[in-house]
Amino acid sequence: MGIGGSVSAKRFVLVLCALVSSSLADPSARSADAVFSDRTTEAGINATHQPSALMEAGSNLISYLCSGGVVGDFNNDGFQDVFVVIGGKAPDQLYINNGDGTFSDEAAAWGVAIKHMGMAAAVGDYDNDGWLDIFVTSGGLDGTIPSPGKHRLYRNTGRSSFEQVASAAGVAFASPILCDGLGATFGDYDLDGNLDLFVSGWLVQSQGNRLFRNNGNGTFTDVTFAAGLSFPGVHGFSPRFADMDGDYYPELLLSGDYHTSRYFRNNKNGTFTNITTASGTGLDDNGMGSTVGDLDGDGALDWLVTSIFSLGNPESPGTGNKLYRSAGEHLFEEIAAASGVVNGNWGWGASACDIDHDGDLDLLQTNGWPFWPEFNNKPTRVWINDGSGVFVDAAATCGLWHTLQGRGLLTFDADNDGDRDVLIFAYKDHATFYRNDLPAGPTTHWIEIEFDTSAATRLVARGVGTRVRATVADRQLLRYLDGGCNYQSQDELSIHLGLGGSASIAELRFEWADGTTSVLRDVAADQRLTIVAGDRCDLNGDGLVNAADLGLLLGAWGPIDAGDPIDLTADGHVDAIDLAVLLANWSPASG
């Protein structure tokens, strides 16, 4: 599994765990069906959404729209933990993974067992210290009047505790007027190596859709208007930073209620342009949940937005979900009906994930609305991809049968067995944990990839913004790590690939957000990888990108092994493109 070249190996290290046989399985073997089991009680997850009374008083509907949580390895022990937003009547809960399929609520010990009117959450290492932090939107402490300026930013101390620093960091306020904040996401929109934050506001009068730029010193600045963003009439739900055109700069995608979903193109100069209409998106009536992935296997990212589908209410029929298939640079074709995913009832959280390990991204989407009988007791969708981008609902047969008032939904590998488990959050009801019991065998190979970018000055923590392209047998698979908002919930911050009957990957190509590319070849399946990436342009490893690195690059000019780190774009040539990438990463103080 050689990387190639002789340049300092410390800048690109492959850590291998649980290595298994790399012999190829029979590619003609039938893939296994998805199998789930409800393990909520067994896992020790005892979380119930309990919104504060004042969040439901009068005409305030916000709590009816809420119930969510996020995952992250908060103690860096290699297992995913779970943070649950309870809503106010009881403290939030932090379930630390015991490493044996069970969890323990340690919220009090970690300092986050707070009774507050929480709504949404997002996970990211905003201060680049190697520990995942949590942002939580809030209306204030239980028993108080819901008000703005109460959002919470929990900074991970690295000592099994969090400290609340929202005010000092400049993110306590999103809306300057009202209690709002039904979604949030981290992402590096300006590619400076720091995670920025977007908070969405559902109440139009709250002016709560806000972009906060990370200043790189633990604080943020509200740059909404400076970035050219405007949200007149927008009821924001689920935001997501995702590079939709492959230029490394992520677009801002926002699912919005009442025909207000938005697609903002990143102009690569710190500003955005609203191209919703021109892109062919924004066609959903009631955009709520959101997920991004290459759903048809064509090597480009597609965007699913959940929305109300109603045949029984002629006054408000609803468009149903919208699936925006990439048709070129910032152009999309809406194909939800043709793909079989238009009817998700009253849709909320969604996730794209290969739950059966056949190499195709499947879709999960939860739903429910308590006031209309038509939308009560409707099951969460488990849409299995048939390999061509057409989906069939397998909820009735796969064991993931959830009929509560679903809101947030996330996927993660709770037990490190290689498949993705599912956690669903319900309005005024308990969270439900479904373990993925996909059998190990010759047709269910997999690989999981995490990123350690702590040594890379121009890459954000955990590799957010990284594209991974895998050559598996005769197929090309694309996965993208964006860490976006599913709906008040967020998936595990890692790359997961189902490999079907292939016990090895011919080539793994990592397209980093700083413009560089790395390649690994002949990678064995059925293992968890940690890719440690230093500053690829620092070719001599002295901490600077300067004339010395330029000399090394020029000395290698011409054809070269694509796995050699000097080939910054991993295209088999050191040429003007590599030179441009190196100059773009030039150290300011290096002269």
Side-chain angles (χ1 to χ4, degrees):
M1 201 183 299
I3 297 172
S6 58
V7 178
S8 180
K10 71 182 179 69
R11 287 179 290 104
F12 189 68
V13 180
L14 179 62
V15 180
L16 304 180
C17 304
L19 191 60
V20 300
S21 171
S22 61
S23 59
L24 289 175
D26 179 4
S28 64
R30 181 183 180 276
S31 60
D33 293 329
V35 182
F36 289 90
S37 58
D38 182 344
R39 301 287 176 160
T40 310
T41 301
E42 178 182 324
I45 296 177
N46 183 29
T48 298
H49 182 236
Q50 302 176 59
S52 295
L54 290 177
M55 289 291 277
E56 297 187 302
S59 60
N60 192 346
L61 289 174
I62 285 184
S63 72
Y64 294 99
L65 311 175
C66 293
S67 188
V70 290
V71 295
D73 183 4
F74 299 119
N75 57 3
N76 285 354
D77 68 348
F79 291 89
Q80 296 296 310
D81 311 304
V82 178
F83 176 81
V84 184
V85 182
I86 297 298
K89 286 184 179 177
D92 288 344
Q93 295 178 325
L94 177 65
Y95 289 96
I96 298 299
N97 196 320
N98 298 319
D100 60 0
T102 68
F103 297 80
S104 298
D105 182 10
E106 298 184 15
W110 283 67
V112 294
I114 308 300
K115 294 173 65 176
H116 73 105
M117 293 173 276
M119 295 171 280
V123 168
D125 181 4
Y126 80 93
D127 54 358
N128 288 330
D129 65 352
W131 301 90
L132 287 174
D133 312 299
I134 308 174
F135 176 78
V136 189
T137 63
S138 177
L141 297 179
D142 181 45
T144 64
I145 301 298
S147 58
K150 305 299 183 181
H151 297 330
R152 309 178 74 84
L153 177 60
Y154 292 121
R155 178 185 173 273
N156 194 329
T157 67
R159 300 183 299 275
S160 298
S161 66
F162 289 96
E163 57 179 354
Q164 211 289 84
V165 298
S167 292
V171 293
F173 280 88
S175 166
I177 302 169
L178 296 171
C179 166
D180 201 356
L182 293 185
T185 189
F186 287 104
D188 185 12
Y189 80 92
D190 52 2
L191 299 189
D192 65 351
N194 300 304
L195 282 174
D196 310 300
L197 174 68
F198 187 88
V199 182
S200 59
W202 180 70
L203 298 169
V204 171
Q205 63 271 34
S206 78
Q207 302 176 27
N209 292 291
R210 298 281 171 159
L211 174 63
F212 295 92
R213 182 182 184 274
N214 192 324
N215 299 319
N217 60 2
T219 69
F220 294 79
T221 299
D222 183 346
V223 296
T224 307
F225 302 111
L229 292 171
S230 178
F231 302 93
V234 171
H235 299 263
F237 269 139
S238 302
R240 182 177 293 265
F241 290 107
D243 174 21
M244 302 301 287
D245 61 350
D247 67 354
Y248 305 106
Y249 286 84
E251 276 59 56
L252 174 59
L253 311 180
L254 178 62
S255 63
D257 210 352
Y258 305 114
H259 309 276
T260 63
S261 290
R262 294 290 183 265
Y263 183 105
F264 294 98
R265 183 189 65 210
N266 194 321
N267 298 324
K268 301 190 289 187
N269 61 2
T271 69
F272 293 85
T273 299
N274 180 3
I275 61 167
T276 306
T277 301
S279 68
T281 62
L283 304 177
D284 42 278
D285 275 356
N286 305 98
M288 295 186 282
S290 173
T291 190
V292 165
D294 181 9
L295 299 175
D296 56 359
D298 67 350
L301 295 177
D302 312 302
W303 182 24
L304 174 77
V305 177
T306 65
S307 186
I308 301 169
F309 182 92
S310 172
L311 293 177
N313 184 3
E315 295 181 0
S316 179
T319 61
N321 297 335
K322 292 297 182 182
L323 175 52
Y324 303 111
R325 176 188 179 274
S326 177
E329 186 171 340
H330 299 304
L331 295 174
F332 296 85
E333 173 189 6
E334 201 292 298
I335 59 169
S339 298
V341 298
V342 67
N343 184 0
N345 291 298
W346 196 293
W348 296 102
S351 179
C353 177
D354 185 358
I355 61 175
D356 57 2
H357 287 185
D358 64 355
D360 306 308
L361 286 176
D362 308 302
L363 289 169
L364 300 107
Q365 182 230 292
T366 194
N367 64 82
W369 188 242
F371 303 112
W372 291 2
E374 177 189 356
F375 298 108
N376 283 327
N377 305 313
K378 297 297 185 182
T380 288
R381 301 302 198 206
V382 184
W383 280 308
I384 303 298
N385 194 328
D386 72 355
S388 67
V390 176
F391 298 82
V392 177
D393 189 1
T397 59
C398 75
L400 201 162
W401 188 257
H402 182 274
T403 58
L404 302 179
Q405 290 288 327
R407 295 297 184 267
L409 177 151
L410 59 83
T411 60
F412 69 125
D413 187 355
D415 46 9
N416 285 5
D417 66 349
D419 52 38
R420 284 300 204 245
D421 309 298
V422 179
L423 185 60
I424 303 176
F425 305 92
Y427 164 71
K428 275 193 171 179
D429 220 317
H430 64 85
T432 310
F433 170 66
Y434 294 93
R435 189 181 70 190
N436 191 330
D437 295 324
L438 187 71
T443 64
T444 56
H445 294 295
W446 55 274
I447 197 164
E448 291 181 334
I449 305 168
E450 294 182 327
F451 301 105
D452 178 356
T453 55
S454 56
T457 59
R458 293 169 181 83
L459 296 176
V460 295
R462 309 291 172 127
V464 172
T466 302
R467 259 182 171 78
V468 177
R469 299 185 187 272
T471 302
V472 182
D474 60 347
R475 299 179 64 185
Q476 298 287 327
L477 306 181
L478 168 68
R479 300 292 183 266
Y480 179 72
L481 183 59
D482 64 41
C485 176
N486 298 343
Y487 182 84
Q488 299 180 2
S489 52
Q490 178 180 326
D491 295 329
E492 176 180 331
L493 285 171
S494 67
I495 293 291
H496 170 262
L497 286 155
L499 305 175
S502 297
S504 66
I505 303 172
E507 181 179 282
L508 269 176
R509 180 177 294 263
F510 305 96
E511 298 176 0
W512 307 101
D514 65 353
T516 61
T517 305
S518 304
V519 173
L520 294 176
R521 300 191 180 98
D522 300 322
V523 181
D526 305 325
Q527 58 176 315
R528 296 176 62 86
L529 305 181
T530 297
I531 304 299
V532 182
D535 192 332
R536 294 291 316 285
C537 294
D538 178 16
L539 297 177
N540 64 358
D542 65 354
L544 296 172
V545 178
N546 57 18
D549 304 296
L550 177 60
L552 289 172
L553 185 80
L554 296 176
W557 202 267
I560 195 171
D561 187 288
D564 194 312
I566 295 181
D567 182 7
L568 298 176
T569 53
D571 61 356
H573 291 85
V574 174
D575 53 21
I577 300 176
D578 301 283
L579 176 59
V581 169
L582 186 140
L583 294 177
N585 286 273
W586 199 265
S587 298
S590 64

